[in-house]
Amino acid sequence: MDAIDLFAGAGGFSTGARMAGANVVWAANHWPAAVEVHANNHPDTLHICQDLQQADWTQVPAHDLLMASPACQGHSRARGKERPHHDAQRSTAWAVVSAAEHHRPAFFLVENVPEFAKWELYPAWCAAMTALGYAMTPMVLDAADHGVAQHRRRLFIVGTRSRHPIALKLPRLSHVGAGTLIDFEGGKWSPIERPGRSAATLARIAEGRRVCGPRFLTAYYGNERGGRSLERPVGTITTRDRWAVIDGDRMRMLNVQECRRAMGFPDDYQLPHRAKDAMHMLGNAVVPPVARDVINALKVAA
């Protein structure tokens, strides 16, 4: 099976496709740093750095599977106040339609946040894909059910050129605790009780100690309060540091290596040297083992 990867980013879709035995022949992204990372890890893939709404699809190799993860920021509940640029971000999904219209691959696979299905133009987007001859199977999947030590719920839309939507049989694996990710001998630790530590942070840590004991995770932002047991998967990895490790009287943020593991990338997967860029790419990535399981199930069902 030959595949292409639109909005390839760090390469989660491509890595998952390779795990499933697919050959990723072409990948594209508008961010040069992401294209460089993808090329370093997938050297046999043809790469292009471009706004995909301006792409010339005649220059894209033939393929069986179109994979795409359009911008999610305009849909996500974490986006905050609605802003004008969110319309532009949401419109990236139309590149999937134009690519499918030209190539008509046998299958497509789109990943996004679950709120994508609440987009005002989602019915029109689905109608366009239906008009191209695709039957669609939308599924909200949690990465934790696929052997990854992270709770990450994402919408996957499987499209097939068939009369009826396809039924996929996906594995549901036992959850893996966040403790498997963490190197307690490494990282840059700091004392919890230090000048300048906010009262809110100290209160959150105190609550975590009460519930979880001396070792746990705590979120720096979001709806989660207190602590999260290391026997549970970590919460969603985001584009900026979110999760702190508490170990007795010291603490630190999860590092890039630990977040790479939480996303299901191999330990030797190359990421930017600048931690901020690496975290941004990981937070936006598709979880490879989830993509692997969906593609494997698609191959069986088709």
Side-chain angles (χ1 to χ4, degrees), residues 1 3-5 11-22 24 65-69 108-111 139 141-143 145-148 152 154-158 168 170-171 263-265 285-299:
M1 176 184 285
I4 66 169
D5 192 349
F13 246 151
S14 293
T15 302
R18 286 177 56 185
M19 290 175 175
V24 182
L65 171 65
L66 184 160
M67 304 182 297
S69 184
F108 76 79
L109 180 55
V110 168
E111 183 263 9
M139 306 171 291
L141 304 177
D142 186 346
D145 295 333
H146 297 264
V148 177
R152 187 184 189 88
R154 290 295 183 266
L155 173 68
F156 284 80
I157 304 172
V158 179
L168 300 184
L170 294 169
M263 287 297 297
F265 283 94
V286 175
V287 173
V290 182
R292 173 202 64 202
D293 289 350
V294 173
I295 294 170
N296 277 333
L298 174 60
K299 290 164 64 176

Side-chain angles (χ1 to χ4, degrees), residues 115-155:
E115 291 79 14
F116 180 74
K118 298 179 181 179
W119 178 31
E120 191 173 20
L121 294 180
Y122 178 71
W125 185 88
C126 290
M129 298 304 289
T130 300
L132 295 178
Y134 291 97
M136 286 172 286
T137 305
M139 306 171 291
V140 175
L141 304 177
D142 186 346
D145 295 333
H146 297 264
V148 177
Q150 177 192 180
H151 281 300
R152 187 184 189 88
R153 296 178 71 253
R154 290 295 183 266
L155 173 68

Side-chain angles (χ1 to χ4, degrees), residues 47-300:
H47 293 84
I48 186 170
C49 185
Q50 186 180 31
D51 175 357
L52 287 174
Q53 295 185 88
Q54 307 299 322
D56 180 358
W57 302 112
T58 66
Q59 301 302 305
V60 177
H63 50 277
D64 309 294
L65 171 65
L66 184 160
M67 304 182 297
S69 184
C72 66
Q73 293 87 345
H75 304 286
S76 175
R77 290 179 297 175
R79 69 176 184 256
K81 183 180 179 182
E82 179 75 7
R83 294 179 175 88
H85 71 273
H86 288 150
D87 286 335
Q89 291 171 329
R90 287 188 284 260
S91 71
T92 57
W94 294 107
V96 180
V97 177
S98 59
E101 181 182 16
H102 180 83
H103 283 280
R104 308 295 174 102
F107 314 106
F108 76 79
L109 180 55
V110 168
E111 183 263 9
N112 214 292
V113 293
E115 291 79 14
F116 180 74
K118 298 179 181 179
W119 178 31
E120 191 173 20
L121 294 180
Y122 178 71
W125 185 88
C126 290
M129 298 304 289
T130 300
L132 295 178
Y134 291 97
M136 286 172 286
T137 305
M139 306 171 291
V140 175
L141 304 177
D142 186 346
D145 295 333
H146 297 264
V148 177
Q150 177 192 180
H151 281 300
R152 187 184 189 88
R153 296 178 71 253
R154 290 295 183 266
L155 173 68
F156 284 80
I157 304 172
V158 179
T160 55
R161 294 182 61 79
S162 56
R163 184 180 295 273
H164 302 291
I166 198 166
L168 300 184
K169 294 183 178 180
L170 294 169
R172 188 181 178 92
L173 304 180
S174 299
H175 287 185
V176 177
T180 61
L181 307 171
I182 300 168
D183 177 10
F184 285 96
E185 303 303 319
K188 297 180 180 179
W189 298 87
S190 64
I192 292 173
E193 299 289 344
R194 72 173 190 185
R197 190 77 75 191
S198 76
T201 296
L202 294 174
R204 191 164 54 245
I205 292 172
E207 176 62 15
R209 283 173 172 156
R210 186 186 69 80
V211 174
C212 303
R215 280 184 169 179
F216 57 94
L217 292 174
T218 188
Y220 256 66
Y221 61 89
N223 295 326
E224 188 154 339
R225 297 291 182 266
R228 175 182 284 257
S229 168
L230 296 181
E231 295 182 0
R232 297 173 57 195
V234 67
T236 302
I237 300 298
T238 55
T239 56
R240 58 191 177 96
D241 288 335
R242 181 185 183 191
W243 295 99
V245 187
I246 309 300
D247 180 26
D249 60 358
R250 63 179 187 161
M251 66 182 294
R252 66 169 173 82
M253 305 305 293
L254 285 180
N255 60 34
V256 170
Q257 174 72 351
E258 291 159 344
C259 290
R260 175 168 48 201
R261 291 173 183 164
M263 287 297 297
F265 283 94
D267 280 352
D268 61 354
Y269 198 85
Q270 300 178 54
L271 291 168
H273 295 297
R274 187 167 178 253
K276 184 177 180 180
D277 289 343
M279 288 300 300
H280 186 85
M281 290 185 193
L282 288 171
N284 275 329
V286 175
V287 173
V290 182
R292 173 202 64 202
D293 289 350
V294 173
I295 294 170
N296 277 333
L298 174 60
K299 290 164 64 176
V300 171

